[in-house]
Amino acid sequence: MYIDEASGFEVKTPSGWQKSEQALADRRKIVFFVNGDDASSSEKDLMFIAYTPVRDDFTALSSFGSVEQVGQMTILPKGELMGEDSNGSKMLSQESKKNSYYFDYVTKSADQPKRHLRTIFTLIQGGTGGAGAVLVTITLQTKDDRYDALKGTFDEIIDSYGKIKK
C-alpha cells in the first residue's frame, strides 16, 4: 500500500513491482512502480503517481473542467479532436466519483505498441506542504495485449484509491 499522509490519500501498489522516486523542477515529483526488469521500456508494465503543484485559484477538480473536458484536453490524441486518424487511440470510459476523475483508455503512438491505461486525477488542497493545491495523477499502463491478464490487478488498485484523514 502506498500511503501519502501529507497529501491525505492511499492506493494499493502492484506486488513485486520495483519502486523508484524522482524529484522534478517546480516542486513536482513522480513515484514509479515498474514490472519487467528484463523488458525494453515499451514492454514494461508501469504505475506512476505524479504530483504537480497548481495555482491557488484551482480550488476544486472542476476548476480544470468537467471529466469529459479534462479527458479531451489531456487524454485523447490531439489529432482526434481535429478529425484526424487516432491510430486506434480511444477513450473507453470516464467518470467522476470520490471527488476524482477516472479514465480508462488505449493509446497508440507511431512505432510503439498499443497501450491500455487507467488514470485517476485528483486535487489535494495543501498537498504541497504549503499554500495551494497539488494535482495528483495515478496511472497504470501495460501493452494492450497484456491488459486482460492484468485487468484484475488494475481494478484492485483503482478501487483501493481513497482519501485518508490528515
Side-chain angles (χ1 to χ4, degrees):
M1 183 69 75
Y2 179 83
I3 300 171
D4 185 330
E5 291 183 16
S7 295
F9 76 91
E10 64 184 7
V11 66
K12 188 171 181 168
T13 57
S15 178
W17 292 20
Q18 293 187 344
K19 177 185 173 189
S20 65
E21 195 167 322
Q22 185 176 1
L24 305 170
D26 300 327
R27 299 178 310 176
R28 294 176 297 141
K29 77 174 182 178
I30 190 164
V31 180
F32 295 97
F33 298 89
V34 180
N35 182 26
D37 287 331
D38 57 348
S40 71
S41 61
S42 66
E43 300 288 321
K44 292 182 180 180
D45 307 315
L46 173 68
M47 174 181 175
F48 66 86
I49 304 168
Y51 295 80
T52 306
V54 296
R55 298 186 327 242
D56 291 346
D57 55 340
F58 287 94
T59 57
L61 195 55
S62 60
S63 300
F64 295 95
S66 68
V67 66
E68 293 83 8
Q69 290 168 325
V70 170
Q72 287 177 348
M73 290 185 297
T74 62
I75 306 279
L76 288 177
K78 302 305 178 238
E80 187 172 308
L81 295 175
M82 296 182 287
E84 297 174 4
D85 182 16
S86 65
N87 285 330
S89 297
K90 183 178 181 181
M91 180 69 69
L92 302 174
S93 71
Q94 53 193 348
E95 68 177 315
S96 177
K97 66 181 181 181
K98 296 198 245 182
N99 293 317
S100 302
Y101 292 165
Y102 289 70
F103 300 97
D104 184 353
Y105 55 105
V106 291
T107 63
K108 175 70 177 100
S109 300
D111 301 323
Q112 292 291 322
K114 190 175 192 177
R115 311 248 346 137
H116 195 129
L117 298 93
R118 305 270 299 273
T119 297
I120 301 171
F121 279 56
T122 194
L123 188 66
I124 312 249
Q125 292 299 324
T128 62
V134 63
L135 178 66
V136 175
T137 57
I138 301 167
T139 299
L140 295 140
Q141 63 174 288
T142 188
K143 285 180 29 183
D144 192 50
D145 61 6
R146 286 184 38 77
Y147 181 73
D148 286 343
L150 289 171
K151 183 183 183 311
T153 299
F154 281 21
D155 287 345
E156 194 174 312
I157 291 167
I158 294 293
D159 292 343
S160 76
Y161 169 77
K163 304 278 173 84
I164 57 174
K165 293 185 180 186
K166 292 186 189 184

